[in-house]
Amino acid sequence: SGKYLVKYLKVSSKLCLCSFCVSFPVSMFLNTLTPKFYVALTGTSSLISGLILIFEWWYFRKYGTSFIEQVSVSHLRPLLGGVDSSSPSNSNTSNGEADSNRQSVSECKVWRNPLNLFRGAEYNRYTWVTGREPLTYYDMNLSAQDHQTFFTCDSDHLRPADAIMQKAWRERNPQARISAAHEALELEDCATAYILLAEEEATTIMEAERLFKQALKAGESCYRRSQQLQHHGTQYEAQHRRDTNVLVYIKRRLAMCSRKLGRTREAVKMMRDLMKEFPLLSMFNIHENLLESLLELQNYADVQAVLAKYDDISLPKSATICYTAALLKARAVSDKFSPEAASRRGLSTAEMNAVEAIHRAVEFNPHVPKYLLEMKSLILPPEHILKRGDSEAIAYAFFHLQHWKRVEGALNLLHCTWEGTFRMIPYPLEKGHLFYPYPICTETADRELLPMFHEVSVYPKKELPFFILFTAGLCSFTAMLALLTHQFPELMGVFAKAVSTHDTHAEGSTACDCRLINTCVLLPSNAAEF
């Protein structure tokens, strides 16, 4: 056993000597460093961490997540043996979770904006004045898909003009679409060609209305012909369905032209007739156009009648329905409402109904109040909206802000009560109060629907990711060190050398202790006797 002990102590002494030999040149190197080196080191560290912080903040504002966290979860976690969320072992969810996921998907469906503007007469004018594009490529691509669905059918190749328009709706270049529409009109009176020119080439609402009236004549003749032949086969049935969509679209846009030109009563009559003639075509949401026109006429009794029909539990809700119902109930009490008096005596039954209606509307779409209260700037609404999202809030406030201002005290009541909604909603938002839980996909869809210059409203507010906070702390710490090193280079150099010398002396003392122990143990001349 004595031999093994001697050998072990010899090996340990060699290791200690090696560590001492390594640490001694390192300490010599650190002692030769000048203060300029420390200034450059801390400054470079601060610059790099600052650039990382700026990039992380930009990525978080644009995409709503941390870049480092996304890369680590997407690429590094599988390499380190993490479990993939899409693996079969995690795919077995309960029925309740599956129903919740299906509901979230349906809630994140993108809808056609029933009050969308005209591209040539309104969106393009905005671009000419400001130089900004109000529509995103994703939004315009959805419109192109809608046009192909509503205005084309499989038998278009039988009619040359319709065949040209079928290709025109697929064109990305606006000038190519307009040229194709003119080419189709040279062959015959084509309703869809007039629609395209009214939407994209007309620079005023009056010019668009003139083109839509020409489209109406052509559309009605095609509709009558296809109506007589619709039962002769599936091909004729598809033509009749297409001609019906074209006719409804033309009449609805003509009603919107009348509304924009100040002929509101005429617009209301056209919308009522259209809803009576085609009651099953609810996909166009013509009742929302009707509600806005009736509010402009201040015909609140008819507004209530429309709400009674469409604000039903079995029908999909919208911000227009929820906030119009809240406006009508607020109108009954808003002119005499005072928060001080209400806090003293309590809320009356009518005031309680108005507050509950506001809470219901805010729970459905929490983004609307900031636009109605002008706490956030408005932009032109997109051609498609996401229900309960920021895009729907913009579309609603753009057309209905004037109606809230017209009702005395309505905005004051909204201002005093809307934030109370969030105390009633469970947190975290696994459950809703009056509606389904708020979908988590709205931010991503709204970022694709809304232009880049608009700051998307996010609910619920996301906390800053850990990596942004960590990078901010690292950047602040290295910037402070760089500033101190720049202001007091000699003092910081002495401090750095003292720290490095202390570490070197600790390692050196350990090596010396090892050698001393080894020497003391090996003092006997005969190791075997020991």
Side-chain angles (χ1 to χ4, degrees), residues 18-260:
C18 290
S19 63
F20 177 75
C21 293
V22 171
S23 61
F24 183 71
V26 171
S27 63
M28 290 184 60
F29 170 74
L30 293 176
N31 289 330
T32 58
L33 297 178
T34 62
K36 292 182 178 180
F37 170 79
Y38 295 106
V39 173
L41 178 65
T42 54
T44 305
S45 303
S46 176
L47 176 63
I48 294 174
S49 57
L51 292 176
I52 296 174
L53 174 62
I54 292 173
F55 175 77
E56 275 283 297
W57 178 253
W58 169 82
Y59 195 88
F60 174 73
R61 291 295 298 273
K62 185 174 182 181
Y63 299 105
T65 184
S66 167
F67 175 77
I68 300 177
E69 181 179 355
Q70 186 179 17
V71 170
S72 61
V73 171
S74 303
H75 299 86
L76 299 183
R77 188 179 178 184
L79 296 177
L80 297 177
V83 180
D84 191 3
S85 60
S86 62
S87 61
S89 60
N90 292 340
S91 62
N92 297 324
T93 58
S94 64
N95 292 332
E97 291 177 351
D99 293 340
S100 177
N101 291 337
R102 283 196 294 270
Q103 178 63 32
S104 177
V105 170
S106 64
E107 287 285 345
C108 290
K109 176 185 175 182
V110 176
W111 299 73
R112 181 83 176 176
N113 182 6
L115 296 168
N116 65 308
L117 305 177
F118 294 87
R119 282 198 191 176
E122 292 173 306
Y123 286 121
N124 286 348
R125 286 174 61 188
Y126 177 84
T127 304
W128 297 336
V129 173
T130 63
R132 291 177 170 181
E133 289 290 343
L135 298 176
T136 63
Y137 173 77
Y138 176 69
D139 192 13
M140 292 188 289
N141 187 47
L142 290 176
S143 297
Q145 295 176 17
D146 292 341
H147 295 153
Q148 293 176 48
T149 302
F150 295 149
F151 304 150
T152 64
C153 65
D154 295 335
S155 61
D156 281 344
H157 64 278
L158 300 177
R159 294 190 288 190
D162 290 336
I164 293 174
M165 289 308 302
Q166 190 175 37
K167 296 179 181 179
W169 294 120
R170 297 173 183 171
E171 285 286 348
R172 294 186 179 182
N173 187 357
Q175 292 301 322
R177 290 196 297 270
I178 292 173
S179 300
H182 284 293
E183 183 182 350
L185 288 176
E186 292 176 358
L187 300 177
E188 60 176 329
D189 267 0
C190 181
T192 54
Y194 282 121
I195 290 176
L196 192 147
L197 295 179
E199 291 285 352
E200 301 193 18
E201 188 181 41
T203 56
T204 63
I205 300 297
M206 294 182 66
E207 186 180 354
E209 185 183 35
R210 178 182 60 80
L211 289 169
F212 273 120
K213 286 180 179 178
Q214 293 178 277
L216 181 61
K217 293 179 181 178
E220 285 179 336
S221 62
C222 290
Y223 176 76
R224 285 192 294 268
R225 287 197 303 268
S226 62
Q227 190 176 24
Q228 296 173 356
L229 302 174
Q230 61 175 318
H231 301 296
H232 292 187
T234 56
Q235 175 181 334
Y236 295 102
E237 185 179 352
Q239 286 184 6
H240 178 65
R241 192 183 308 115
R242 189 272 311 274
D243 293 337
T244 302
N245 292 335
V246 170
L247 186 62
V248 172
Y249 186 89
I250 293 171
K251 289 187 175 182
R252 173 173 161 269
R253 293 305 260 178
L254 277 173
M256 293 179 67
C257 289
S258 298
R259 167 68 183 91
K260 292 175 183 293

